[in-house]
Amino acid sequence: MEQEYRELREKLCETARLLYERGLVSGTDGNISVRASEDAMLITPSGVSKRELEPASLIVQKLDGTIVSGRGKSSREAKLHAAIYRIRTEIGAVVHTHPAAATAFAMCGQTLPDNCLVEVPAVIGKIALAGYAPAGSGKLAENVRMAAVDSDVIFMQNHGVVTCGKDLTAAFNKMEMVENAARTICYAKLLGGIREF
């Protein structure tokens, strides 16, 4: 099984290290997955720093929750990832992290305004807000599933951010762009007098 998904495993670990290097994850937070087949995904194990992830440590898990292979315990947010793959068959990867600036917006029950920084509407697109539910719960997975119907970027109230895309590069790029836009808007608010378009 590890040989079968070798390329996906390596790409997922590379993406995890990039998230860490760019300050988009800290400690052991966050989780990343990639669609491995129609009904299965590769997902990061729980409690492992994204900078230390090894291809062999990834979990192969069916979308129904059945563990196929892997060491350790699967991410407690696996239900959230599976919910997105089920409702959006074109999605190939999901990234969930707690980047500071974007998560601050989510903590306030807000998404990024789309009328002051051109990248938000033009490149990031619609940002959905999923209502609060406890981490790892079926309710959170359902809230995210509903929000993901027509959005590749979901802010989870009082929690963090989920991005998804056709592959790991697309999902990573969305997360990086979202956090950069959130930081820029926060800096502009400190300066005062944001000009809207």
Side-chain angles (χ1 to χ4, degrees):
M1 193 68 76
E2 287 179 23
Q3 291 296 334
E4 183 180 359
Y5 300 129
R6 186 193 304 183
E7 195 173 312
L8 286 177
R9 288 173 183 274
E10 289 173 358
K11 181 66 176 175
L12 195 153
C13 290
E14 176 190 329
T15 302
R17 281 189 290 278
L18 278 173
L19 288 164
Y20 177 80
E21 288 166 7
R22 303 287 167 85
L24 298 170
V25 291
S26 61
T28 61
D29 77 0
N31 33 79
I32 312 160
S33 70
V34 62
R35 190 187 291 270
S37 67
E38 188 178 312
D39 69 340
M41 62 183 166
L42 271 172
I43 191 164
T44 50
S46 181
V48 177
S49 168
K50 304 307 169 280
R51 77 175 184 273
E52 297 168 349
L53 214 56
E54 295 293 332
S57 67
L58 300 175
I59 309 287
V60 179
Q61 184 169 344
K62 290 193 172 183
L63 300 187
D64 68 7
T66 305
I67 303 293
V68 177
S69 67
R71 300 183 211 153
K73 184 178 174 187
S74 179
S75 169
R76 68 178 172 174
E77 302 295 6
K79 286 181 272 192
L80 179 156
H81 291 250
I84 293 173
Y85 291 128
R86 279 198 193 97
I87 198 156
R88 301 274 305 279
T89 56
E90 79 279 15
I91 294 300
V94 176
V95 172
H96 162 47
T97 69
H98 309 137
T103 300
F105 278 90
M107 287 173 63
C108 295
Q110 301 174 23
T111 61
L112 303 182
D114 63 0
N115 62 351
C116 61
L117 185 65
V118 71
E119 290 95 312
V120 175
V123 182
I124 295 170
K126 179 182 178 186
I127 301 173
L129 180 66
Y132 174 77
S137 67
K139 178 63 175 163
L140 180 60
E142 176 60 14
N143 290 351
V144 169
R145 184 191 71 80
M146 291 188 299
V149 167
D150 60 353
S151 180
D152 291 346
V153 179
I154 301 106
F155 283 19
M156 297 185 291
Q157 189 163 339
N158 299 93
H159 189 151
V161 180
V162 173
T163 58
C164 49
K166 65 183 173 83
D167 56 27
L168 283 160
T169 299
F172 168 82
N173 285 344
K174 284 274 187 192
M175 186 64 75
E176 187 175 41
M177 287 186 290
V178 163
E179 179 62 3
N180 185 62
R183 268 196 238 118
T184 302
I185 292 166
C186 286
Y187 294 155
K189 285 184 174 190
L190 289 173
L191 292 172
I194 289 179
R195 296 186 181 184
E196 299 175 351
F197 54 77

